[in-house]
Amino acid sequence: MSVNPELQGRSYPATAPYLVGREKVREFARAVLADSPLNHDPEAARAAGYADVVAPPTFPVVVQEHALAQLLSDPEASIDFSRVVHGDQRFQYSRPIVAGDELTAVLTVTSVKSLGGHSMVTADTLIADSEGTHVVTATSTLVVRGDE
């Protein structure tokens, strides 16, 4: 089954606020082998001008996942998660994410393409802080393999 092309342009409601915890930042940093003191030590982060530890650049996937879940569970999308391969991931920052941020995410499907029996779904997830100010846009492309 192919992905519904009418998804293009569809936006989903903002996710519930996600509070970025210091330990979550540290855990993620360890998982991606980010060893900068800015990712682990609040004093080092404050000395560098940040309010608390700084999340590694790929941390927004944690917040984006909540928005992607809306797309993947949308029955109108016709996306079989067992056939999904992550095709691409990019981030465009306005500022770094730091512990203590409360973030929400809004996902918009920007493109649905069919290629040789497979579908490529690209979505932008705008992640904003509690003031509604843009923090980062996470752009993902999912490849949905066609029937074999």
Side-chain angles (χ1 to χ4, degrees):
M1 176 184 289
S2 63
V3 174
N4 180 355
E6 293 181 12
L7 281 179
Q8 188 166 324
R10 184 175 295 183
S11 293
Y12 292 87
T15 60
Y18 177 91
L19 179 59
V20 179
R22 186 182 294 158
E23 288 310 311
K24 288 292 185 187
V25 170
R26 288 174 170 155
E27 288 171 2
F28 191 89
R30 283 191 296 275
V32 298
L33 306 178
D35 58 2
S36 168
L38 298 178
N39 303 130
H40 300 276
D41 181 1
E43 294 307 318
R46 287 186 191 106
Y50 299 101
D52 208 313
V53 294
V54 179
T58 55
F59 185 84
V61 297
V62 173
V63 181
Q64 180 190 31
E65 185 274 334
H66 298 281
L68 276 172
Q70 294 174 313
L71 169 63
L72 295 172
S73 66
D74 182 347
E76 293 181 23
S78 299
I79 296 175
D80 177 355
F81 187 66
S82 71
R83 306 191 72 76
V84 170
V85 177
H86 201 181
D88 187 35
Q89 183 72 56
R90 290 174 276 140
F91 303 98
Q92 185 173 11
Y93 276 90
S94 292
R95 69 163 176 84
I97 294 173
V98 296
D101 278 339
E102 190 172 277
L103 305 173
T104 56
V106 174
L107 181 142
T108 300
V109 177
T110 57
S111 173
V112 177
K113 297 178 182 172
S114 292
L115 297 168
H118 307 297
S119 297
M120 296 179 63
V121 181
T122 302
D124 284 344
T125 303
L126 278 63
I127 299 173
D129 64 18
S130 60
E131 305 295 319
T133 302
H134 178 266
V135 175
V136 59
T137 298
T139 301
S140 292
T141 299
L142 304 176
V143 178
V144 184
R145 294 177 292 122
D147 294 332
E148 296 176 32

